[in-house]
Amino acid sequence: MPHDCSFLADVLAESQVSLGDDDRDSHAGDWGTPEEDRVRPDAVCWPESTADASGVLAAANDRDVPVTPYAAGTGIEGNALPARGGISMDLTRMDSVLDVRPDDFQVDVEPGVLGGTLNDAIAEHDLFLPPLPQSADISTVGGMIATDASGAKTVKYGEVHDWVLALEAVLADGTVIETGSRAKKTSSGYNLDDLLVGSEGTLAVVTRATFELERQPAQVSGGRAVFATLDDAATAIAATMQAGVDVATIELLDPVSTKIANAYSGTDLPDAPTVFVEFHANHGVDAEIDACREIFDEHGVEQFAMAAGAEMDELWAARRELANALLAYDPPRRPAKPGDVTVPISQYPDLVRYAKELGAEHDLDVPCFGHAGDGNVHYNVLVDPDDPEELEAGQAISDAVVERAIAMGGTSTGEHGVGRGKREYMIAEHGEGAVAAMEAIKRALDPNGTLNPGKIFPETDDDDDRLRTDSPD
């Protein structure tokens, strides 16, 4: 049943509210939401301040109208899908870099700032924010906070939560809170920063963030290595990390991925397992490169080429475009389900091997790539969506890889979040007690189930009703 959202006219200016079909359609899902799963919100609104966001949430909460935060819509797990209708709260108009404090290595930003825009704003101070994902140029920092995003440099610098110092956020009832502080460290009270980071807009709407920043390294060098077999490449990556080589990035592309990248980007990568590496240092970078090369030699590397500057960017071009390349390759085939698992580094070669074996059993391409240095495997089973047998096999392979990753001590999602796509694995990964604890936190902060319902928690017959405080035990 549609929700009456006419009250928005009393909270926001006319230019900040839309009931139009086009705006509702454009907020009916995110980048990874299949057409058949999209859900139109009843209204879209664009807060331009913390006060705006607070007013909308207070009014919506009083009326039992769901509110789903929306950023750039680049997620792939249905994180921004308005599953229960209601309001899609688009935060992209809150897009200011509020304050840069280079002496403290800090920046204050609003949630709608694109990651690339943020890095451009701080570059003049010789600073950068390291954990941004590959999609930083089209993704907002609010979305990155919501999913605790990370990217190619995680192996050296960590995830978004490692760089958040303080947040301003609005709770479901409109209450504005501030978490953390500008201090480098604190042991005061509960760590509410880490509670909100990764909560996917189910606990609060972040309206301001303070990030710690990093000085640009004096020495940056990168390149790629080609191996005879995928097993050699994966094992070399694990050995490099186990040896403590100081790499900023170490990425894997299997032969299918290089073929897809070449077709899309016009590059000339060999159709062979390829490892991309990047090194950041203020001194001694050559020693780290030599150490990496020595380990790669021990694992049968066939080519090893280093570069810097524009030449390095050219080497990396194909990897950056791979997500789009997968969608453009060999239509009508498309990924059955997005794969984003992470395992302990010692398990990495076994997981890649397992995914490829499953693909071979079903005669389906399973491109494997990703941020290999931290054990993150992105995989996609390419299927014809109009072929029921292929689609069923593709989904079975995807599920099997996630289950194997969890059994190895890993996670169902390394950086894309749970959303709707990974809810079914929450109990297997965390256990019933931990999931119940998460649900208790949700009920405490959002007793009416206003914020982003239908996400994270396993689906049941009564689904989100069990998260309300008035639901039966």
Side-chain angles (χ1 to χ4, degrees):
M1 179 179 295
H3 296 274
D4 180 4
C5 298
S6 59
F7 65 89
L8 288 172
D10 299 324
V11 181
L12 300 175
E14 182 178 354
S15 62
Q16 294 175 264
V17 179
S18 176
L19 305 179
D21 289 347
D22 288 347
D23 287 325
R24 291 165 61 208
D25 284 342
S26 67
H27 289 75
D30 55 22
W31 191 74
T33 305
E35 190 62 35
E36 62 271 18
D37 292 339
R38 294 174 70 83
V39 178
R40 263 186 177 183
D42 299 298
V44 181
C45 74
W46 289 266
E48 297 177 4
S49 67
T50 301
D52 285 348
S54 174
V56 170
L57 281 168
N61 189 64
D62 286 345
R63 295 165 173 81
D64 283 333
V65 176
V67 178
T68 300
Y70 187 95
T74 56
I76 65 172
E77 295 292 359
N79 318 77
L81 169 75
R84 304 290 178 268
I87 299 167
S88 177
M89 180 184 283
D90 187 320
L91 296 153
T92 55
R93 293 187 188 176
M94 298 181 66
D95 61 353
S96 296
V97 177
L98 299 169
D99 187 25
V100 182
R101 297 182 293 279
D103 290 345
D104 291 325
F105 295 86
Q106 293 177 6
V107 64
D108 297 337
V109 295
E110 291 183 316
V113 176
L114 295 175
T117 301
L118 170 56
N119 265 343
D120 289 344
I122 59 181
E124 64 180 280
H125 303 289
D126 200 30
L127 298 171
F128 77 116
L129 183 60
L132 299 184
Q134 295 284 91
S135 60
D137 288 344
I138 58 172
S139 303
T140 68
V141 297
M144 297 173 201
I145 291 169
T147 58
D148 194 10
S150 56
K153 299 179 179 66
T154 301
V155 63
K156 181 177 178 70
Y157 296 106
E159 300 176 86
V160 162
H161 77 263
D162 295 306
W163 297 84
V164 172
L165 290 170
L167 298 171
E168 177 187 76
V170 185
L171 300 180
D173 65 357
T175 301
V176 179
I177 64 171
E178 295 189 356
T179 69
S181 77
R182 287 173 50 190
K184 174 74 173 179
K185 64 179 183 178
T186 176
S187 58
S188 174
Y190 292 175
N191 188 342
L192 295 181
D193 281 349
D194 276 358
L195 178 63
L196 297 186
V197 175
S199 63
E200 301 183 33
T202 62
L203 300 180
V205 176
V206 172
T207 53
R208 187 186 70 237
T210 298
F211 288 106
E212 186 177 4
L213 303 174
E214 180 66 62
R215 179 73 63 191
Q216 291 280 2
Q219 299 175 324
V220 177
S221 187
R224 71 175 183 238
V226 178
F227 289 82
T229 70
L230 185 59
D231 203 57
D232 287 342
T235 305
I237 290 167
T240 300
M241 301 314 304
Q242 290 161 349
V245 178
D246 187 13
V247 293
T249 300
I250 184 163
E251 301 267 312
L252 173 70
L253 272 71
D254 72 356
V256 179
S257 299
T258 59
K259 182 179 180 180
I260 291 171
N262 286 335
Y264 184 82
S265 303
T267 48
D268 59 352
L269 296 173
D271 289 344
T274 303
V275 176
F276 291 81
V277 290
E278 187 170 302
F279 300 85
H280 293 182
N282 291 320
H283 53 79
V285 72
D286 289 340
E288 299 299 332
I289 294 172
D290 289 344
C292 180
R293 186 193 302 266
E294 183 177 339
I295 293 171
F296 282 13
D297 283 341
E298 293 171 357
H299 290 83
V301 69
E302 296 187 335
Q303 299 177 32
F304 191 105
M306 296 300 299
E311 187 179 359
M312 185 179 73
D313 289 340
E314 185 176 342
L315 284 176
W316 278 92
R319 171 63 184 94
R320 283 193 294 266
E321 295 292 338
L322 192 52
N324 290 325
L326 283 164
L327 294 179
Y329 182 73
D330 195 19
R333 292 202 299 166
R334 63 170 175 80
K337 291 174 72 173
D340 165 40
V341 295
T342 304
V343 294
I345 192 63
S346 65
Q347 302 292 325
Y348 185 79
D350 288 340
L351 186 66
V352 172
R353 190 180 305 119
Y354 180 68
K356 302 301 285 189
E357 288 172 353
L358 288 177
E361 286 177 15
H362 293 273
D363 196 26
L364 292 173
D365 283 332
V366 184
C368 291
F369 57 97
H371 315 314
D374 53 43
N376 190 198
V377 182
H378 294 300
Y379 64 93
N380 290 274
V381 187
L382 299 181
V383 301
D384 181 347
D386 296 323
D387 184 329
E389 290 187 5
E390 269 198 19
L391 188 58
E392 182 179 358
Q395 292 172 337
I397 292 171
S398 296
D399 293 342
V401 173
V402 173
E403 291 163 3
R404 178 62 64 92
I406 293 172
M408 289 175 164
T411 178
S412 64
T413 173
E415 58 188 32
H416 295 157
V418 177
R420 291 177 68 78
K422 294 295 192 296
R423 294 190 298 170
E424 63 192 280
Y425 305 112
M426 287 291 283
I427 290 176
E429 181 172 340
H430 299 285
E432 291 185 358
V435 172
M438 295 180 203
E439 292 176 332
I441 293 169
K442 170 67 171 174
R443 287 193 297 270
L445 294 182
D446 183 12
N448 293 335
T450 298
L451 276 168
N452 207 4
K455 312 298 169 57
I456 296 182
F457 299 106
E459 190 169 20
T460 63
D461 290 339
D462 59 351
D463 205 3
D464 297 282
D465 289 343
R466 73 190 188 286
L467 297 179
R468 290 175 172 269
T469 54
D470 58 354
S471 64
D473 292 335

